[in-house]
Amino acid sequence: MICRKGVATGLLMAIVAFPGSASADDEWEFEIGAGVGYGSKYEGSDEMEAMFLPVLGVTWNDTVYLTTEDGLGVVAYDDYGLTAEVSVNYDWGRDESDSSDLNGLGDIDGAATLNLSLEYELGPVSPFVELTRFLGGSDGLEVSFGIETMIPVSALMGEESASGMAESDDEDDDGPAILAGISTTWSDDKYMDSYFGINSTQSARSGLSRFNAKSGFKAVGAELGFVYPVFESWEVRTMIEYSRLVGDAADSPISKDNNVLFGGLAVSYKF
């Protein structure tokens, strides 16, 4: 699954967003690995930084999972091409110390998030919607809409048809594959005001003009990834993401650069 956080904190973990599937005979699957990423310091930053990306995951019966990207979740429904998942995760918020451009703005506390995602498979593509409710921190709500696809390299080489790649997930996971997606994210007043608004106190401390960030579409983005199995249990993954801030997020004095970038590479082992 491609990371669906767009330019939100979740994109820092985009590398772990494509889980491999266990054998039909295995109830449990474990994954461990690590990677490196390079991306914008915060949404709207014109500075970049390198980061360490842990890859840890446990899946039971392809139904219950605990991963560094998706948190603790359950597949509540999976039939007729429709998949519904409910999960609890953690958002790390934003620290004033993350960048000198945030001086005087204070910290946004980290918080647990409650997430609901719906995905519908239409042949080789899957439209999706994901709701994220922040239980603290900004106390906000975000909704992401988009479409994603996973294309086995064998299909591009003419070794299998596009219809065939949609029929067998097990075959898809056996070889190299390309992941791609586009999405847009809507954020409510609380989220926008926390991350992009500037109140009178923050204005006095930072020297930035007051700004009231209202609800609306925050960003549009695209991502492209590549998964390459090595030997029987090893996997190498790469991911590049680009998001463009729009609306009040783009107009905020906090936003020094409306282009938000992320790239990374990770290696993992499944057992």
Side-chain angles (χ1 to χ4, degrees), residues 155-180:
L156 297 178
M157 300 296 290
E159 297 175 14
E160 65 176 292
S161 66
S163 59
M165 73 181 181
E167 292 174 359
S168 176
D169 291 337
D170 290 338
E171 290 181 5
D172 292 347
D173 293 330
D174 287 342
I178 295 172
L179 294 82

Side-chain angles (χ1 to χ4, degrees), residues 49-253:
E49 66 177 353
M51 62 203 75
F52 170 71
L53 302 175
V55 180
L56 297 170
V58 180
T59 304
W60 177 75
N61 205 32
D62 289 331
T63 302
V64 181
Y65 55 85
L66 176 63
T67 73
T68 45
E69 196 274 336
D70 291 315
L72 175 62
V74 60
V75 179
Y77 183 85
D78 186 7
D79 205 356
Y80 301 105
L82 177 65
T83 302
E85 298 183 22
V86 179
S87 65
V88 177
N89 209 340
Y90 189 81
D91 178 83
W92 296 98
R94 189 184 70 193
D95 293 336
E96 181 179 326
S97 60
D98 288 344
S99 170
S100 59
D101 292 326
L102 300 175
N103 288 344
L105 301 180
D107 298 339
I108 301 174
D109 294 336
T113 64
L114 180 61
N115 314 286
L116 170 65
S117 66
L118 301 172
E119 178 178 292
Y120 187 70
E121 184 177 299
L122 291 173
V125 300
S126 299
F128 66 83
V129 58
E130 183 177 272
L131 288 77
T132 301
R133 176 72 168 87
F134 295 80
L135 307 178
S138 68
D139 288 317
L141 173 70
E142 285 200 310
V143 185
S144 295
F145 312 86
I147 188 168
E148 63 186 14
T149 185
M150 185 192 72
I151 306 173
V153 172
S154 58
L156 297 178
M157 300 296 290
E159 297 175 14
E160 65 176 292
S161 66
S163 59
M165 73 181 181
E167 292 174 359
S168 176
D169 291 337
D170 290 338
E171 290 181 5
D172 292 347
D173 293 330
D174 287 342
I178 295 172
L179 294 82
I182 55 174
S183 63
T184 184
T185 301
W186 178 92
S187 304
D188 72 355
D189 284 328
K190 291 182 178 179
Y191 183 96
M192 291 294 292
D193 202 43
S194 294
Y195 281 91
F196 297 99
I198 301 175
N199 59 35
S200 56
T201 301
Q202 291 173 322
S203 177
R205 291 176 176 174
S206 66
L208 298 173
S209 302
R210 290 189 60 182
F211 186 78
N212 182 23
K214 298 180 180 179
S215 63
F217 284 97
K218 181 188 71 174
V220 294
E223 52 263 346
L224 180 66
F226 183 68
V227 181
Y228 187 79
V230 181
F231 304 115
E232 182 177 352
S233 301
W234 290 90
E235 201 166 69
V236 177
R237 313 168 195 172
T238 62
M239 177 68 72
I240 299 175
E241 293 198 2
Y242 169 78
S243 293
R244 174 80 179 180
L245 297 181
V246 297
D248 281 0
D251 295 336
S252 171

